[in-house]
Amino acid sequence: MKKLVLIALALITLQATAQERKDRQKMDKKERAERMSKYTPEEIAEIQTKQMTLQLDLSEAQQKQIMAINVENAKSRKAMMEKRKEAMDNGERKEPTKEERLQMKNAMLDRQIAIKKQMKDILNKEQYEKWEAMAKEKMKKGRHQKKQMMHKK
């Protein structure tokens, strides 16, 4: 009987801990999004460019070119984020149709291809390989987080 009570107590404790972690991760994501929304696209691009400079040892000319790309990307991301937020505030948020999802996916892939081409033109071979490895790691991390969110629902 004591063992049964201990096992039940352990399961309840484990469930409470998992629930707390889930809530904390949800808050972290919201807080991060809120903090990032306070920055201008130029500020976000500057931070990204400086991080890339540290990681890839970029020259001044490369920094300027990459800064332009990052500003453009940050502006488009900010516009999409505001559009989504506005739709949610107005209660217009609905599940996209199959065609809309296909169109969004194609647009995203086109942007990724264009960025990859631009980076290949700007970076030398060694830097480009390192940048690709960083991008793959970022994608892997994003997929992992997305899977975790899907399992939690």
Side-chain angles (χ1 to χ4, degrees):
M1 188 68 179
K2 281 185 178 179
K3 288 181 181 179
L4 214 62
V5 171
L6 285 174
I7 290 172
L9 186 61
L11 288 174
I12 291 169
T13 305
L14 184 64
Q15 178 63 29
T17 305
Q19 185 68 36
E20 184 179 309
R21 187 179 318 138
K22 180 182 172 183
D23 292 343
R24 189 173 50 240
Q25 284 177 336
K26 207 178 259 188
M27 284 302 291
D28 289 346
K29 188 175 181 181
K30 283 183 180 179
E31 287 173 9
R32 191 170 50 246
E34 217 172 274
R35 277 189 305 220
M36 289 307 285
S37 69
K38 293 178 183 175
Y39 291 111
T40 66
E42 290 77 14
E43 291 169 333
I44 293 169
E46 185 177 352
I47 290 168
Q48 289 175 331
T49 304
K50 286 182 179 183
Q51 287 174 336
M52 288 178 72
T53 299
L54 289 172
Q55 294 166 336
L56 301 174
D57 195 30
L58 301 175
S59 68
E60 287 290 324
Q62 288 174 321
Q63 287 179 45
K64 288 178 184 175
Q65 291 173 309
I66 289 176
M67 178 69 166
I69 293 169
N70 286 340
V71 166
E72 181 183 318
N73 291 336
K75 283 181 181 178
S76 69
R77 276 194 315 272
K78 185 100 172 174
M80 285 189 288
M81 201 169 65
E82 287 174 359
K83 183 179 175 185
R84 273 195 310 268
K85 187 177 180 186
E86 188 177 302
M88 287 177 74
D89 290 345
N90 294 338
E92 297 172 4
R93 180 96 168 132
K94 64 181 189 320
E95 189 69 26
T97 64
K98 181 181 175 185
E99 291 78 23
E100 290 172 333
R101 265 185 298 198
L102 180 64
Q103 186 180 15
M104 288 188 293
K105 186 70 172 178
N106 277 326
M108 181 190 72
L109 291 171
D110 288 342
R111 282 192 307 271
Q112 287 177 346
I113 290 168
I115 291 169
K116 196 171 187 176
K117 185 180 182 311
Q118 290 172 318
M119 289 299 187
K120 197 168 194 170
D121 292 340
I122 295 169
L123 302 174
N124 65 34
K125 187 178 180 188
E126 184 181 311
Q127 289 171 325
Y128 181 74
E129 287 171 0
K130 192 171 181 180
W131 176 78
E132 268 197 320
M134 289 170 14
K136 281 182 185 175
E137 187 63 33
K138 189 175 180 183
M139 290 285 277
K140 190 176 176 183
K141 183 179 176 184
R143 283 191 185 124
H144 178 69
Q145 288 174 345
K146 202 179 258 187
K147 280 183 184 176
Q148 284 182 337
M149 293 299 283
M150 294 296 251
H151 289 296
K152 290 178 185 175
K153 288 184 178 179

